[in-house]
Amino acid sequence: MNIVNCKNCNNQSDSKYCPSCGQLMNTHRINLQYLVHEIQHSIFHVDKGILYTIKELALRPGKTLTEYLSGKRASYFKPFAFVTILATIYGLLSHYLHIYPEIQILNDTSQSQKITDIAFDWLYKHYALTTYLLIPFYALLSYLLFKSKYNYFEHLVINAYLIGFQIILLIICLPFSYISISLYFFLPTIVSFLYFAWAFHQTFNNHLFISIFKTILITIFSSVLGLILGLLGGLLFAI
């Protein structure tokens, strides 16, 4: 009989699931196999705890991320289910309300802008998919810039949670688009940047200014990638 401690509540048991909190007694370090199962689980099953997860990410992002990565997962909404649901909601809202701040700020009538319109229309219509495509790139940047004990697959989880919370900020700020499209574009952008820097600072225990500098680099490279994807998408769907 193999008695182990639950990583979520520290209760001892020889059961598959903890009789106290219900979490799996044997949680492993996050790797490729875990993420494949996690993505499948995210699509076909929805757990409890999304409001609690949002609250904890808002107040204690570093603590939330380190607890989840260390094995304390029963209380938190699954990261890829989290980002999938939120990205789908935001994509639907933006697409059907036709609120594309990047396009409206440029306000260009040239042929190149028409291609960009087509690209962003498709990207927002498939916002969950494009978010999934960007998460591995965010994870690679944070993995390379923040030298830590976490592997690349754990950085995928970190960025899934943070991007999910960023989408919440975009949804909250949607009403500002009817006041000023510039305000709607820059307000969530600035708040998201500060939130990412704060979360990275808490998670990786870097100096705050170092976290801010590295977040600037991630933001720049991610924006460039988003622009490239947008232009390629515009050219592809304009043909």
Side-chain angles (χ1 to χ4, degrees):
M1 185 168 56
N2 186 22
I3 298 177
V4 296
N5 288 346
C6 172
K7 292 183 179 179
N8 186 57
C9 67
N10 210 34
N11 181 61
Q12 290 187 332
S13 175
D14 60 345
S15 304
K16 182 178 180 180
Y17 294 94
C18 176
S20 177
C21 69
Q23 176 170 287
L24 275 171
M25 292 297 291
N26 189 16
T27 57
H28 302 284
R29 184 170 182 178
I30 292 170
N31 54 26
L32 179 58
Q33 182 181 2
Y34 171 85
L35 286 181
V36 170
H37 174 268
E38 169 66 22
I39 291 171
Q40 292 174 339
H41 186 81
S42 300
I43 295 172
F44 297 109
H45 183 73
V46 177
D47 288 344
K48 298 178 182 178
I50 190 168
L51 293 179
Y52 175 79
T53 301
I54 292 172
K55 184 194 75 172
E56 291 301 300
L57 283 172
L59 301 177
R60 292 172 285 273
K63 177 176 178 289
T64 301
L65 295 171
T66 53
E67 281 190 347
Y68 190 88
L69 295 174
S70 67
K72 190 175 181 180
R73 298 166 191 163
S75 300
Y76 299 112
F77 201 75
K78 301 289 186 178
F80 290 96
F82 184 69
V83 74
T84 299
I85 291 171
L86 292 169
T88 301
I89 292 172
Y90 177 67
L92 288 172
L93 288 173
S94 296
H95 177 69
Y96 287 106
L97 295 175
H98 206 74
I99 300 174
Y100 308 149
E102 298 89 348
I103 294 175
Q104 290 164 281
I105 284 178
L106 291 173
N107 194 27
D108 189 2
T109 57
S110 65
Q111 181 61 33
S112 62
Q113 183 59 33
K114 292 177 182 178
I115 294 174
T116 306
D117 288 352
I118 295 171
F120 277 102
D121 186 67
W122 188 90
L123 290 174
Y124 275 94
K125 188 177 180 180
H126 302 84
Y127 195 82
L129 173 61
T130 56
T131 301
Y132 263 99
L133 293 175
L134 285 172
I135 288 175
F137 184 74
Y138 272 88
L140 179 62
L141 289 174
S142 64
Y143 175 71
L144 294 175
L145 290 172
F146 292 97
K147 302 297 182 181
S148 68
K149 61 183 179 180
Y150 299 121
N151 61 37
Y152 173 72
F153 303 104
E154 290 167 322
H155 277 263
L156 286 173
V157 170
I158 290 170
N159 284 275
Y161 271 130
L162 296 184
I163 290 173
F165 192 82
Q166 180 184 43
I167 295 171
I168 291 173
L169 295 175
L170 289 169
I171 294 172
I172 292 173
C173 291
L174 266 174
F176 288 108
S177 64
Y178 294 100
I179 301 172
S180 167
I181 200 64
S182 297
L183 177 63
Y184 172 63
F185 177 78
F186 288 108
L187 179 60
T189 299
I190 294 171
V191 174
S192 295
F193 169 79
L194 294 175
Y195 176 77
F196 268 72
W198 178 45
F200 286 144
H201 166 64
Q202 290 189 345
T203 304
F204 302 120
N205 295 315
N206 288 124
H207 192 282
L208 180 59
F209 289 109
I210 293 176
S211 296
I212 290 173
F213 174 72
K214 292 181 178 180
T215 304
I216 290 173
L217 294 179
I218 292 173
T219 302
I220 291 173
F221 285 120
S222 300
S223 299
V224 171
L225 177 64
L227 178 61
I228 292 172
L229 288 176
L231 291 175
L232 290 176
L235 290 171
L236 178 63
F237 295 104
I239 297 174

